[in-house]
Coordinates of all heavy atoms in Angstrom, one line a residue:
F1104 N -3.4 3.2 -8.1 CA -3.2 4.6 -7.7 C -1.7 4.9 -7.4 O -1.1 5.8 -7.9 CB -4.0 5.0 -6.5 CG -3.8 6.4 -6.0 CD1 -4.4 7.5 -6.5 CD2 -2.9 6.6 -4.9 CE1 -4.2 8.8 -6.0 CE2 -2.6 7.9 -4.5 CZ -3.3 9.0 -5.0
Y1105 N -1.1 4.0 -6.6 CA 0.3 4.2 -6.2 C 1.2 4.0 -7.4 O 2.3 4.5 -7.4 CB 0.7 3.4 -5.0 CG 0.1 4.1 -3.7 CD1 -1.1 3.7 -3.2 CD2 0.7 5.1 -3.1 CE1 -1.7 4.3 -2.1 CE2 0.2 5.8 -2.0 CZ -1.0 5.4 -1.5 OH -1.6 6.0 -0.4
A1106 N 0.8 3.1 -8.3 CA 1.6 2.9 -9.5 C 1.7 4.2 -10.3 O 2.8 4.5 -10.9 CB 1.0 1.8 -10.4
K1107 N 0.7 5.1 -10.3 CA 0.7 6.4 -11.0 C 1.8 7.3 -10.3 O 2.3 8.1 -11.0 CB -0.6 7.1 -10.9 CG -1.7 6.4 -11.8 CD -3.0 7.2 -11.6 CE -4.1 6.6 -12.5 NZ -5.3 7.4 -12.4
L1108 N 2.0 7.0 -9.0 CA 3.1 7.8 -8.3 C 4.5 7.2 -8.4 O 5.4 7.7 -7.8 CB 2.7 7.9 -6.8 CG 1.4 8.7 -6.6 CD1 1.1 8.7 -5.1 CD2 1.4 10.1 -7.1
G1109 N 4.5 6.1 -9.2 CA 5.8 5.5 -9.4 C 6.2 4.3 -8.5 O 7.3 3.7 -8.6
F1110 N 5.2 3.8 -7.7 CA 5.4 2.7 -6.8 C 4.9 1.4 -7.5 O 3.7 1.3 -7.8 CB 4.8 2.9 -5.5 CG 5.4 4.0 -4.6 CD1 5.0 5.3 -4.7 CD2 6.4 3.6 -3.8 CE1 5.5 6.3 -4.0 CE2 7.0 4.6 -3.0 CZ 6.6 5.9 -3.1
L1111 N 5.8 0.4 -7.7 CA 5.4 -0.8 -8.3 C 5.6 -2.0 -7.4 O 6.4 -2.0 -6.5 CB 6.2 -1.0 -9.6 CG 6.1 0.1 -10.6 CD1 7.0 -0.2 -11.8 CD2 4.7 0.3 -11.1
R1112 N 4.8 -3.0 -7.6 CA 4.8 -4.2 -6.7 C 6.2 -4.8 -6.7 O 6.8 -5.1 -7.7 CB 3.8 -5.2 -7.1 CG 3.7 -6.4 -6.2 CD 2.8 -7.5 -6.6 NE 1.4 -7.0 -6.4 CZ 0.4 -7.8 -6.3 NH1 0.5 -9.1 -6.4 NH2 -0.8 -7.3 -6.2
D1113 N 6.7 -5.1 -5.5 CA 7.9 -5.9 -5.3 C 7.5 -7.3 -5.0 O 6.9 -7.6 -3.9 CB 8.7 -5.3 -4.1 CG 10.0 -6.1 -3.9 OD1 10.2 -7.2 -4.4 OD2 10.8 -5.5 -3.1
P1114 N 7.7 -8.3 -5.9 CA 7.3 -9.7 -5.7 C 7.8 -10.3 -4.4 O 7.2 -11.2 -3.8 CB 7.7 -10.4 -6.9 CG 8.5 -9.5 -7.8 CD 8.4 -8.1 -7.2
D1115 N 9.0 -9.8 -3.9 CA 9.5 -10.3 -2.7 C 8.9 -9.8 -1.5 O 9.2 -10.2 -0.3 CB 11.0 -10.0 -2.6 CG 11.8 -10.8 -3.7 OD1 11.4 -11.9 -4.1 OD2 12.9 -10.3 -4.1
E1116 N 8.0 -8.8 -1.6 CA 7.3 -8.1 -0.5 C 5.8 -8.3 -0.6 O 5.1 -7.5 -0.1 CB 7.7 -6.6 -0.5 CG 9.1 -6.3 -0.3 CD 9.5 -6.4 1.2 OE1 8.7 -6.1 2.1 OE2 10.7 -6.8 1.5
F1117 N 5.4 -9.4 -1.2 CA 3.9 -9.7 -1.3 C 3.6 -10.8 -0.3 O 4.2 -11.9 -0.5 CB 3.5 -10.0 -2.7 CG 2.1 -10.3 -2.9 CD1 1.1 -9.3 -2.6 CD2 1.6 -11.5 -3.4 CE1 -0.2 -9.5 -2.7 CE2 0.2 -11.7 -3.5 CZ -0.7 -10.7 -3.2
A1118 N 2.8 -10.5 0.7 CA 2.5 -11.5 1.7 C 1.0 -11.6 1.9 O 0.4 -11.0 2.7 CB 3.1 -11.1 3.0
P1119 N 0.3 -12.4 1.0 CA -1.1 -12.6 1.1 C -1.6 -13.0 2.5 O -2.7 -12.6 2.9 CB -1.5 -13.6 0.0 CG -0.3 -13.7 -0.9 CD 0.9 -13.2 -0.1
Q1120 N -0.9 -13.9 3.2 CA -1.3 -14.3 4.5 C -1.4 -13.2 5.5 O -2.2 -13.2 6.4 CB -0.4 -15.5 5.0 CG 1.0 -15.0 5.4 CD 2.0 -14.8 4.2 OE1 1.6 -14.8 3.1 NE2 3.3 -14.6 4.6
A1121 N -0.6 -12.1 5.3 CA -0.6 -11.0 6.1 C -1.4 -9.8 5.5 O -1.5 -8.7 6.1 CB 0.8 -10.5 6.4
K1122 N -2.0 -10.0 4.4 CA -2.7 -9.0 3.6 C -1.8 -7.8 3.5 O -2.3 -6.6 3.7 CB -4.0 -8.6 4.3 CG -5.0 -9.8 4.5 CD -6.2 -9.5 3.6 CE -7.2 -10.6 3.8 NZ -7.7 -11.1 2.5
A1123 N -0.6 -8.0 3.0 CA 0.4 -6.9 2.8 C 1.0 -7.1 1.5 O 1.4 -8.2 1.0 CB 1.4 -6.9 3.9
C1124 N 1.2 -5.9 0.8 CA 1.8 -5.9 -0.5 C 2.8 -4.8 -0.5 O 2.5 -3.6 -0.4 CB 0.7 -5.7 -1.6 SG 1.4 -5.6 -3.3
G1125 N 4.1 -5.1 -0.7 CA 5.1 -4.1 -0.8 C 5.3 -3.5 -2.2 O 5.2 -4.2 -3.2
L1126 N 5.4 -2.2 -2.2 CA 5.6 -1.5 -3.4 C 7.0 -0.7 -3.3 O 7.3 -0.3 -2.2 CB 4.5 -0.5 -3.7 CG 3.1 -1.0 -3.7 CD1 2.1 0.2 -4.0 CD2 2.9 -2.1 -4.7
V1127 N 7.7 -0.6 -4.4 CA 9.0 0.1 -4.4 C 9.0 1.1 -5.6 O 8.5 0.8 -6.6 CB 10.1 -0.9 -4.5 CG1 10.1 -1.7 -5.8 CG2 11.5 -0.2 -4.2
H1128 N 9.6 2.2 -5.3 CA 9.8 3.3 -6.3 C 11.2 3.1 -6.9 O 12.0 2.5 -6.3 CB 9.7 4.6 -5.5 CG 9.5 5.8 -6.4 ND1 10.6 6.4 -7.1 CD2 8.4 6.5 -6.8 CE1 10.2 7.4 -7.8 NE2 8.9 7.5 -7.7
A1129 N 11.4 3.6 -8.1 CA 12.7 3.5 -8.7 C 13.8 4.1 -7.9 O 14.9 3.7 -8.0 CB 12.6 4.2 -10.1
N1130 N 13.5 5.1 -7.0 CA 14.5 5.7 -6.2 C 14.8 4.9 -4.9 O 15.5 5.3 -4.1 CB 14.1 7.2 -5.9 CG 12.9 7.3 -5.1 OD1 12.4 6.3 -4.4 ND2 12.3 8.5 -5.0
G1131 N 14.1 3.8 -4.7 CA 14.3 2.9 -3.6 C 13.3 3.1 -2.4 O 13.3 2.3 -1.5
M1132 N 12.5 4.1 -2.5 CA 11.5 4.3 -1.4 C 10.5 3.1 -1.4 O 10.1 2.7 -2.5 CB 10.7 5.6 -1.6 CG 11.4 6.8 -1.3 SD 10.3 8.3 -1.3 CE 9.8 8.3 -3.0
R1133 N 10.0 2.7 -0.3 CA 9.1 1.6 -0.2 C 7.9 2.0 0.6 O 7.9 2.7 1.6 CB 9.8 0.4 0.5 CG 10.9 -0.1 -0.2 CD 11.5 -1.4 0.5 NE 12.4 -2.0 -0.5 CZ 12.0 -2.9 -1.4 NH1 10.7 -3.2 -1.5 NH2 12.9 -3.5 -2.2
I1134 N 6.7 1.4 0.2 CA 5.5 1.5 1.0 C 4.9 0.1 1.0 O 5.2 -0.7 0.1 CB 4.5 2.5 0.4 CG1 4.1 2.2 -1.0 CG2 5.0 3.9 0.5 CD1 3.0 3.1 -1.5
H1135 N 4.2 -0.2 2.0 CA 3.4 -1.4 2.1 C 2.0 -1.1 2.2 O 1.5 -0.3 3.0 CB 3.8 -2.2 3.4 CG 5.1 -2.9 3.3 ND1 5.6 -3.7 4.3 CD2 6.1 -2.9 2.3 CE1 6.8 -4.2 3.9 NE2 7.1 -3.7 2.7
L1136 N 1.2 -1.7 1.3 CA -0.2 -1.6 1.3 C -0.8 -2.7 2.2 O -0.6 -3.9 1.9 CB -0.8 -1.7 -0.1 CG -0.3 -0.6 -1.1 CD1 -0.9 -0.8 -2.5 CD2 -0.7 0.8 -0.6
I1137 N -1.4 -2.3 3.2 CA -2.1 -3.3 4.1 C -3.5 -3.3 3.7 O -4.3 -2.4 4.0 CB -1.9 -2.9 5.6 CG1 -0.5 -2.5 5.9 CG2 -2.4 -4.0 6.6 CD1 0.6 -3.5 5.7
Y1138 N -3.9 -4.4 3.1 CA -5.3 -4.4 2.4 C -6.3 -5.2 3.2 O -7.0 -6.1 2.8 CB -5.2 -4.9 1.0 CG -4.5 -6.2 0.7 CD1 -5.3 -7.4 0.5 CD2 -3.2 -6.3 0.6 CE1 -4.7 -8.6 0.3 CE2 -2.6 -7.5 0.3 CZ -3.4 -8.7 0.2 OH -2.8 -9.9 -0.1
N1139 N -6.5 -4.7 4.5 CA -7.5 -5.3 5.3 C -8.5 -4.2 5.9 O -9.1 -4.4 6.9 CB -6.9 -6.1 6.4 CG -6.1 -5.3 7.4 OD1 -5.9 -4.1 7.2 ND2 -5.5 -6.0 8.4
G1140 N -8.5 -3.1 5.3 CA -9.2 -1.9 5.8 C -10.7 -2.0 5.4 O -11.1 -2.6 4.4
L1141 N -11.5 -1.5 6.3 CA -13.0 -1.3 6.0 C -13.2 0.1 5.6 O -12.6 1.0 6.2 CB -13.8 -1.7 7.3 CG -13.6 -3.1 7.8 CD1 -14.4 -3.2 9.1 CD2 -14.1 -4.1 6.8
A1142 N -14.1 0.3 4.6 CA -14.4 1.6 4.2 C -14.9 2.5 5.3 O -15.8 2.1 6.1 CB -15.4 1.6 3.0
A1143 N -14.4 3.7 5.4 CA -14.8 4.6 6.5 C -16.1 5.3 6.0 O -16.3 5.6 4.8 CB -13.7 5.7 6.7
E1144 N -17.0 5.5 6.9 CA -18.3 6.1 6.6 C -18.2 7.6 6.4 O -18.9 8.2 5.7 CB -19.3 5.8 7.7 CG -19.7 4.3 7.8 CD -20.7 4.0 8.9 OE1 -21.3 5.0 9.4 OE2 -20.8 2.8 9.2
Q1145 N -17.2 8.2 7.1 CA -17.1 9.7 7.1 C -15.7 10.1 6.9 O -15.2 10.9 7.7 CB -17.7 10.3 8.3 CG -19.2 10.0 8.4 CD -19.8 10.6 9.7 OE1 -19.1 10.9 10.6 NE2 -21.1 10.8 9.7
G1146 N -15.0 9.7 5.9 CA -13.7 10.2 5.6 C -12.6 9.5 6.4 O -12.8 8.4 6.9
N1147 N -11.5 10.1 6.5 CA -10.3 9.6 7.2 C -10.6 9.7 8.7 O -10.7 10.9 9.2 CB -9.1 10.4 6.8 CG -7.8 9.9 7.4 OD1 -7.7 9.8 8.6 ND2 -6.8 9.8 6.6
V1148 N -10.6 8.6 9.5 CA -10.9 8.7 10.9 C -9.9 9.4 11.7 O -10.2 9.9 12.8 CB -11.1 7.2 11.5 CG1 -12.3 6.6 10.8 CG2 -9.9 6.4 11.3
L1149 N -8.7 9.5 11.3 CA -7.7 10.3 12.0 C -7.7 11.8 11.8 O -7.4 12.6 12.6 CB -6.3 9.8 11.7 CG -6.0 8.4 12.3 CD1 -4.6 7.9 11.8 CD2 -6.1 8.3 13.8
L1150 N -8.1 12.2 10.6 CA -8.1 13.6 10.2 C -9.4 14.3 10.1 O -9.5 15.5 10.3 CB -7.3 13.8 8.9 CG -5.8 13.4 9.0 CD1 -5.1 13.4 7.7 CD2 -5.1 14.4 9.9
D1151 N -10.4 13.5 9.6 CA -11.7 14.2 9.3 C -12.7 14.1 10.5 O -13.7 14.9 10.4 CB -12.3 13.5 8.1 CG -11.4 13.7 6.9 OD1 -10.7 14.7 6.8 OD2 -11.4 12.8 6.0

């Protein structure tokens, strides 16, 4: 999904032990996907 928005994996920011994967955009913006989430039963718990 985030690749469609232009964010691609940064191999230097991939930390399987921390369940974190860094993505970087061509313009330098960075996001980290923290992949230890459990599916919410009723949407986004902060907003919905």
Side-chain angles (χ1 to χ4, degrees):
F1104 176 84
Y1105 284 96
K1107 289 180 180 183
L1108 297 175
F1110 290 90
L1111 302 176
R1112 184 181 288 201
D1113 180 346
D1115 293 331
E1116 296 280 329
F1117 182 58
Q1120 70 281 8
K1122 299 250 185 224
C1124 179
L1126 306 179
V1127 64
H1128 194 277
N1130 66 16
M1132 286 187 300
R1133 295 183 167 278
I1134 61 175
H1135 284 182
L1136 300 177
I1137 313 303
Y1138 55 97
N1139 64 358
L1141 299 175
E1144 293 178 18
Q1145 296 180 340
N1147 181 311
V1148 295
L1149 291 176
L1150 293 172
D1151 300 329

